[in-house]
Amino acid sequence: MRRYGYSIFCDDIRSEAGGKLSFIGCYNAVMMTAQNFPLVLSKFCIHFHVFSPATQPYTSVTARCYVPGEPEPIAEEPIEVPGLLDQQKLLDGLPKNIAVPPYIVVASSLVFSPLEIRQPGLIHIRVVINEGPDELHLGSLQVISASA
């Protein structure tokens, strides 16, 4: 079993009653803009989930966001994870007769307001788990100009 994750790229994330989230203006694989580069988005959000087998608990998770033309991440945010003892307590509370192996899930959002994108290319979201050394890729969004 391996770690994996996914991301939702959108214009806004709203908290709703009952702990629900609403994702506004979600992108599929491509963001096509009528603006020329460089462009500035007034708001841009990424919501992500990271799944780790229960046999590989988290000690730390750090999210990194990369944009086209920037070799270094434009954001590097530590994500709060439950302590190892709390993760174990959660697992101990699960039914013992389930056939699916348990995973520990961490979810968080990155909100950029504003976000400058200097050139076409890919926006990437990655996480470093337990201080690395590798990054787990959680998805990307291609940004292109409609006039290109």
PDB file of all heavy atoms in Angstrom, residues 19-45:
ATOM      1  N   GLY A  19     -20.469  21.681   8.719  1.00  0.00           N
ATOM      2  CA  GLY A  19     -19.085  21.329   8.417  1.00  0.00           C
ATOM      3  C   GLY A  19     -18.826  21.010   6.960  1.00  0.00           C
ATOM      4  O   GLY A  19     -17.738  20.539   6.617  1.00  0.00           O
ATOM      5  N   LYS A  20     -19.800  21.271   6.090  1.00  0.00           N
ATOM      6  CA  LYS A  20     -19.607  20.998   4.668  1.00  0.00           C
ATOM      7  C   LYS A  20     -18.778  22.100   4.016  1.00  0.00           C
ATOM      8  O   LYS A  20     -18.729  23.219   4.504  1.00  0.00           O
ATOM      9  CB  LYS A  20     -20.956  20.889   3.950  1.00  0.00           C
ATOM     10  CG  LYS A  20     -21.808  19.743   4.425  1.00  0.00           C
ATOM     11  CD  LYS A  20     -23.080  19.629   3.626  1.00  0.00           C
ATOM     12  CE  LYS A  20     -24.017  20.761   3.968  1.00  0.00           C
ATOM     13  NZ  LYS A  20     -25.300  20.668   3.250  1.00  0.00           N
ATOM     14  N   LEU A  21     -18.134  21.762   2.909  1.00  0.00           N
ATOM     15  CA  LEU A  21     -17.402  22.733   2.102  1.00  0.00           C
ATOM     16  C   LEU A  21     -18.061  22.834   0.739  1.00  0.00           C
ATOM     17  O   LEU A  21     -18.486  21.824   0.168  1.00  0.00           O
ATOM     18  CB  LEU A  21     -15.945  22.303   1.912  1.00  0.00           C
ATOM     19  CG  LEU A  21     -15.064  22.255   3.153  1.00  0.00           C
ATOM     20  CD1 LEU A  21     -13.684  21.709   2.797  1.00  0.00           C
ATOM     21  CD2 LEU A  21     -14.946  23.623   3.789  1.00  0.00           C
ATOM     22  N   SER A  22     -18.129  24.043   0.210  1.00  0.00           N
ATOM     23  CA  SER A  22     -18.584  24.258  -1.164  1.00  0.00           C
ATOM     24  C   SER A  22     -17.399  24.775  -1.971  1.00  0.00           C
ATOM     25  O   SER A  22     -16.715  25.707  -1.544  1.00  0.00           O
ATOM     26  CB  SER A  22     -19.727  25.270  -1.228  1.00  0.00           C
ATOM     27  OG  SER A  22     -20.911  24.720  -0.709  1.00  0.00           O
ATOM     28  N   PHE A  23     -17.185  24.159  -3.108  1.00  0.00           N
ATOM     29  CA  PHE A  23     -16.106  24.558  -4.006  1.00  0.00           C
ATOM     30  C   PHE A  23     -16.737  25.326  -5.164  1.00  0.00           C
ATOM     31  O   PHE A  23     -17.571  24.787  -5.894  1.00  0.00           O
ATOM     32  CB  PHE A  23     -15.344  23.331  -4.511  1.00  0.00           C
ATOM     33  CG  PHE A  23     -14.751  22.520  -3.394  1.00  0.00           C
ATOM     34  CD1 PHE A  23     -15.328  21.322  -3.004  1.00  0.00           C
ATOM     35  CD2 PHE A  23     -13.637  22.962  -2.708  1.00  0.00           C
ATOM     36  CE1 PHE A  23     -14.803  20.578  -1.965  1.00  0.00           C
ATOM     37  CE2 PHE A  23     -13.103  22.228  -1.659  1.00  0.00           C
ATOM     38  CZ  PHE A  23     -13.692  21.036  -1.289  1.00  0.00           C
ATOM     39  N   ILE A  24     -16.343  26.577  -5.337  1.00  0.00           N
ATOM     40  CA  ILE A  24     -16.932  27.472  -6.324  1.00  0.00           C
ATOM     41  C   ILE A  24     -15.965  27.619  -7.498  1.00  0.00           C
ATOM     42  O   ILE A  24     -14.791  27.896  -7.301  1.00  0.00           O
ATOM     43  CB  ILE A  24     -17.218  28.866  -5.709  1.00  0.00           C
ATOM     44  CG1 ILE A  24     -17.956  28.748  -4.376  1.00  0.00           C
ATOM     45  CG2 ILE A  24     -17.947  29.758  -6.705  1.00  0.00           C
ATOM     46  CD1 ILE A  24     -19.265  28.014  -4.402  1.00  0.00           C
ATOM     47  N   GLY A  25     -16.479  27.455  -8.703  1.00  0.00           N
ATOM     48  CA  GLY A  25     -15.663  27.647  -9.898  1.00  0.00           C
ATOM     49  C   GLY A  25     -14.540  26.638 -10.010  1.00  0.00           C
ATOM     50  O   GLY A  25     -13.379  27.016 -10.162  1.00  0.00           O
ATOM     51  N   CYS A  26     -14.885  25.355  -9.959  1.00  0.00           N
ATOM     52  CA  CYS A  26     -13.870  24.293 -10.026  1.00  0.00           C
ATOM     53  C   CYS A  26     -13.322  24.139 -11.440  1.00  0.00           C
ATOM     54  O   CYS A  26     -14.064  24.223 -12.414  1.00  0.00           O
ATOM     55  CB  CYS A  26     -14.457  22.961  -9.564  1.00  0.00           C
ATOM     56  SG  CYS A  26     -14.928  22.966  -7.830  1.00  0.00           S
ATOM     57  N   TYR A  27     -12.032  23.888 -11.513  1.00  0.00           N
ATOM     58  CA  TYR A  27     -11.369  23.666 -12.797  1.00  0.00           C
ATOM     59  C   TYR A  27     -11.196  22.172 -13.022  1.00  0.00           C
ATOM     60  O   TYR A  27     -11.013  21.411 -12.074  1.00  0.00           O
ATOM     61  CB  TYR A  27      -9.987  24.344 -12.812  1.00  0.00           C
ATOM     62  CG  TYR A  27     -10.070  25.835 -12.710  1.00  0.00           C
ATOM     63  CD1 TYR A  27      -9.937  26.469 -11.477  1.00  0.00           C
ATOM     64  CD2 TYR A  27     -10.301  26.617 -13.834  1.00  0.00           C
ATOM     65  CE1 TYR A  27     -10.022  27.847 -11.372  1.00  0.00           C
ATOM     66  CE2 TYR A  27     -10.383  28.004 -13.738  1.00  0.00           C
ATOM     67  CZ  TYR A  27     -10.248  28.604 -12.498  1.00  0.00           C
ATOM     68  OH  TYR A  27     -10.335  29.962 -12.397  1.00  0.00           O
ATOM     69  N   ASN A  28     -11.264  21.763 -14.287  1.00  0.00           N
ATOM     70  CA  ASN A  28     -10.946  20.382 -14.628  1.00  0.00           C
ATOM     71  C   ASN A  28      -9.441  20.288 -14.799  1.00  0.00           C
ATOM     72  O   ASN A  28      -8.710  20.536 -13.878  1.00  0.00           O
ATOM     73  CB  ASN A  28     -11.728  19.942 -15.869  1.00  0.00           C
ATOM     74  CG  ASN A  28     -13.195  19.728 -15.553  1.00  0.00           C
ATOM     75  OD1 ASN A  28     -13.532  19.130 -14.553  1.00  0.00           O
ATOM     76  ND2 ASN A  28     -14.060  20.244 -16.407  1.00  0.00           N
ATOM     77  N   ALA A  29      -8.964  19.988 -15.965  1.00  0.00           N
ATOM     78  CA  ALA A  29      -7.527  19.837 -16.184  1.00  0.00           C
ATOM     79  C   ALA A  29      -6.855  21.124 -16.637  1.00  0.00           C
ATOM     80  O   ALA A  29      -5.639  21.244 -16.552  1.00  0.00           O
ATOM     81  CB  ALA A  29      -7.281  18.740 -17.214  1.00  0.00           C
ATOM     82  N   VAL A  30      -7.663  22.097 -17.124  1.00  0.00           N
ATOM     83  CA  VAL A  30      -7.082  23.290 -17.741  1.00  0.00           C
ATOM     84  C   VAL A  30      -7.810  24.540 -17.256  1.00  0.00           C
ATOM     85  O   VAL A  30      -9.035  24.567 -17.187  1.00  0.00           O
ATOM     86  CB  VAL A  30      -7.180  23.217 -19.287  1.00  0.00           C
ATOM     87  CG1 VAL A  30      -6.634  24.477 -19.934  1.00  0.00           C
ATOM     88  CG2 VAL A  30      -6.480  21.987 -19.817  1.00  0.00           C
ATOM     89  N   MET A  31      -7.025  25.579 -16.947  1.00  0.00           N
ATOM     90  CA  MET A  31      -7.572  26.909 -16.717  1.00  0.00           C
ATOM     91  C   MET A  31      -7.255  27.715 -17.962  1.00  0.00           C
ATOM     92  O   MET A  31      -6.079  27.956 -18.270  1.00  0.00           O
ATOM     93  CB  MET A  31      -6.920  27.583 -15.504  1.00  0.00           C
ATOM     94  CG  MET A  31      -7.354  29.032 -15.312  1.00  0.00           C
ATOM     95  SD  MET A  31      -6.284  29.977 -14.185  1.00  0.00           S
ATOM     96  CE  MET A  31      -6.576  29.151 -12.651  1.00  0.00           C
ATOM     97  N   MET A  32      -8.295  28.095 -18.706  1.00  0.00           N
ATOM     98  CA  MET A  32      -8.087  28.887 -19.910  1.00  0.00           C
ATOM     99  C   MET A  32      -8.464  30.325 -19.581  1.00  0.00           C
ATOM    100  O   MET A  32      -9.578  30.587 -19.153  1.00  0.00           O
ATOM    101  CB  MET A  32      -8.948  28.357 -21.056  1.00  0.00           C
ATOM    102  CG  MET A  32      -8.593  28.950 -22.385  1.00  0.00           C
ATOM    103  SD  MET A  32      -9.446  28.151 -23.754  1.00  0.00           S
ATOM    104  CE  MET A  32      -8.790  26.500 -23.657  1.00  0.00           C
ATOM    105  N   THR A  33      -7.523  31.229 -19.762  1.00  0.00           N
ATOM    106  CA  THR A  33      -7.755  32.621 -19.405  1.00  0.00           C
ATOM    107  C   THR A  33      -7.783  33.506 -20.647  1.00  0.00           C
ATOM    108  O   THR A  33      -7.056  33.252 -21.613  1.00  0.00           O
ATOM    109  CB  THR A  33      -6.682  33.117 -18.422  1.00  0.00           C
ATOM    110  OG1 THR A  33      -6.926  34.495 -18.153  1.00  0.00           O
ATOM    111  CG2 THR A  33      -5.282  32.945 -18.969  1.00  0.00           C
ATOM    112  N   ALA A  34      -8.629  34.512 -20.620  1.00  0.00           N
ATOM    113  CA  ALA A  34      -8.686  35.476 -21.714  1.00  0.00           C
ATOM    114  C   ALA A  34      -7.617  36.547 -21.540  1.00  0.00           C
ATOM    115  O   ALA A  34      -7.323  37.296 -22.471  1.00  0.00           O
ATOM    116  CB  ALA A  34     -10.071  36.116 -21.764  1.00  0.00           C
ATOM    117  N   GLN A  35      -7.028  36.626 -20.347  1.00  0.00           N
ATOM    118  CA  GLN A  35      -5.995  37.620 -20.058  1.00  0.00           C
ATOM    119  C   GLN A  35      -4.653  37.176 -20.632  1.00  0.00           C
ATOM    120  O   GLN A  35      -4.411  35.989 -20.836  1.00  0.00           O
ATOM    121  CB  GLN A  35      -5.846  37.797 -18.552  1.00  0.00           C
ATOM    122  CG  GLN A  35      -7.101  38.237 -17.837  1.00  0.00           C
ATOM    123  CD  GLN A  35      -6.882  38.262 -16.338  1.00  0.00           C
ATOM    124  OE1 GLN A  35      -5.830  38.684 -15.869  1.00  0.00           O
ATOM    125  NE2 GLN A  35      -7.879  37.821 -15.587  1.00  0.00           N
ATOM    126  N   ASN A  36      -3.789  38.146 -20.877  1.00  0.00           N
ATOM    127  CA  ASN A  36      -2.419  37.845 -21.275  1.00  0.00           C
ATOM    128  C   ASN A  36      -1.563  37.680 -20.034  1.00  0.00           C
ATOM    129  O   ASN A  36      -1.892  38.178 -18.965  1.00  0.00           O
ATOM    130  CB  ASN A  36      -1.858  38.962 -22.168  1.00  0.00           C
ATOM    131  CG  ASN A  36      -2.560  39.021 -23.509  1.00  0.00           C
ATOM    132  OD1 ASN A  36      -2.890  37.983 -24.084  1.00  0.00           O
ATOM    133  ND2 ASN A  36      -2.803  40.218 -24.004  1.00  0.00           N
ATOM    134  N   PHE A  37      -0.435  36.998 -20.201  1.00  0.00           N
ATOM    135  CA  PHE A  37       0.497  36.807 -19.094  1.00  0.00           C
ATOM    136  C   PHE A  37       1.438  38.001 -19.018  1.00  0.00           C
ATOM    137  O   PHE A  37       1.777  38.569 -20.042  1.00  0.00           O
ATOM    138  CB  PHE A  37       1.294  35.511 -19.295  1.00  0.00           C
ATOM    139  CG  PHE A  37       0.426  34.287 -19.163  1.00  0.00           C
ATOM    140  CD1 PHE A  37      -0.116  33.679 -20.291  1.00  0.00           C
ATOM    141  CD2 PHE A  37       0.135  33.757 -17.927  1.00  0.00           C
ATOM    142  CE1 PHE A  37      -0.927  32.564 -20.173  1.00  0.00           C
ATOM    143  CE2 PHE A  37      -0.679  32.639 -17.797  1.00  0.00           C
ATOM    144  CZ  PHE A  37      -1.209  32.036 -18.930  1.00  0.00           C
ATOM    145  N   PRO A  38       1.860  38.375 -17.815  1.00  0.00           N
ATOM    146  CA  PRO A  38       1.467  37.795 -16.530  1.00  0.00           C
ATOM    147  C   PRO A  38       0.025  38.172 -16.200  1.00  0.00           C
ATOM    148  O   PRO A  38      -0.470  39.205 -16.630  1.00  0.00           O
ATOM    149  CB  PRO A  38       2.440  38.413 -15.536  1.00  0.00           C
ATOM    150  CG  PRO A  38       2.846  39.702 -16.163  1.00  0.00           C
ATOM    151  CD  PRO A  38       2.789  39.495 -17.652  1.00  0.00           C
ATOM    152  N   LEU A  39      -0.631  37.307 -15.400  1.00  0.00           N
ATOM    153  CA  LEU A  39      -1.996  37.591 -14.993  1.00  0.00           C
ATOM    154  C   LEU A  39      -2.111  37.486 -13.486  1.00  0.00           C
ATOM    155  O   LEU A  39      -1.306  36.823 -12.841  1.00  0.00           O
ATOM    156  CB  LEU A  39      -2.996  36.658 -15.690  1.00  0.00           C
ATOM    157  CG  LEU A  39      -2.931  35.166 -15.401  1.00  0.00           C
ATOM    158  CD1 LEU A  39      -3.903  34.793 -14.291  1.00  0.00           C
ATOM    159  CD2 LEU A  39      -3.302  34.402 -16.657  1.00  0.00           C
ATOM    160  N   VAL A  40      -3.095  38.171 -12.954  1.00  0.00           N
ATOM    161  CA  VAL A  40      -3.327  38.151 -11.511  1.00  0.00           C
ATOM    162  C   VAL A  40      -4.759  37.689 -11.272  1.00  0.00           C
ATOM    163  O   VAL A  40      -5.711  38.281 -11.788  1.00  0.00           O
ATOM    164  CB  VAL A  40      -3.100  39.547 -10.883  1.00  0.00           C
ATOM    165  CG1 VAL A  40      -3.444  39.514  -9.396  1.00  0.00           C
ATOM    166  CG2 VAL A  40      -1.665  40.003 -11.094  1.00  0.00           C
ATOM    167  N   LEU A  41      -4.882  36.597 -10.510  1.00  0.00           N
ATOM    168  CA  LEU A  41      -6.194  36.102 -10.102  1.00  0.00           C
ATOM    169  C   LEU A  41      -6.516  36.727  -8.748  1.00  0.00           C
ATOM    170  O   LEU A  41      -5.676  36.705  -7.836  1.00  0.00           O
ATOM    171  CB  LEU A  41      -6.181  34.583  -9.983  1.00  0.00           C
ATOM    172  CG  LEU A  41      -5.767  33.806 -11.237  1.00  0.00           C
ATOM    173  CD1 LEU A  41      -5.656  32.325 -10.917  1.00  0.00           C
ATOM    174  CD2 LEU A  41      -6.757  34.050 -12.357  1.00  0.00           C
ATOM    175  N   SER A  42      -7.699  37.281  -8.609  1.00  0.00           N
ATOM    176  CA  SER A  42      -8.048  37.917  -7.339  1.00  0.00           C
ATOM    177  C   SER A  42      -8.099  36.904  -6.201  1.00  0.00           C
ATOM    178  O   SER A  42      -7.769  37.219  -5.060  1.00  0.00           O
ATOM    179  CB  SER A  42      -9.367  38.674  -7.445  1.00  0.00           C
ATOM    180  OG  SER A  42     -10.413  37.785  -7.787  1.00  0.00           O
ATOM    181  N   LYS A  43      -8.500  35.678  -6.524  1.00  0.00           N
ATOM    182  CA  LYS A  43      -8.513  34.614  -5.521  1.00  0.00           C
ATOM    183  C   LYS A  43      -8.378  33.286  -6.235  1.00  0.00           C
ATOM    184  O   LYS A  43      -8.949  33.077  -7.301  1.00  0.00           O
ATOM    185  CB  LYS A  43      -9.812  34.653  -4.710  1.00  0.00           C
ATOM    186  CG  LYS A  43      -9.800  33.752  -3.494  1.00  0.00           C
ATOM    187  CD  LYS A  43     -11.038  34.011  -2.637  1.00  0.00           C
ATOM    188  CE  LYS A  43     -10.948  33.295  -1.315  1.00  0.00           C
ATOM    189  NZ  LYS A  43     -12.167  33.535  -0.501  1.00  0.00           N
ATOM    190  N   PHE A  44      -7.614  32.375  -5.628  1.00  0.00           N
ATOM    191  CA  PHE A  44      -7.431  31.035  -6.175  1.00  0.00           C
ATOM    192  C   PHE A  44      -7.235  30.088  -5.006  1.00  0.00           C
ATOM    193  O   PHE A  44      -6.500  30.398  -4.062  1.00  0.00           O
ATOM    194  CB  PHE A  44      -6.214  30.983  -7.109  1.00  0.00           C
ATOM    195  CG  PHE A  44      -6.000  29.649  -7.741  1.00  0.00           C
ATOM    196  CD1 PHE A  44      -6.808  29.211  -8.779  1.00  0.00           C
ATOM    197  CD2 PHE A  44      -4.985  28.810  -7.304  1.00  0.00           C
ATOM    198  CE1 PHE A  44      -6.611  27.976  -9.360  1.00  0.00           C
ATOM    199  CE2 PHE A  44      -4.782  27.573  -7.884  1.00  0.00           C
ATOM    200  CZ  PHE A  44      -5.597  27.160  -8.918  1.00  0.00           C
ATOM    201  N   CYS A  45      -7.905  28.944  -5.057  1.00  0.00           N
ATOM    202  CA  CYS A  45      -7.878  28.015  -3.929  1.00  0.00           C
ATOM    203  C   CYS A  45      -7.531  26.600  -4.389  1.00  0.00           C
ATOM    204  O   CYS A  45      -7.868  26.196  -5.505  1.00  0.00           O
ATOM    205  CB  CYS A  45      -9.252  27.966  -3.255  1.00  0.00           C
ATOM    206  SG  CYS A  45      -9.866  29.568  -2.716  1.00  0.00           S
TER     207      CYS A  45
END
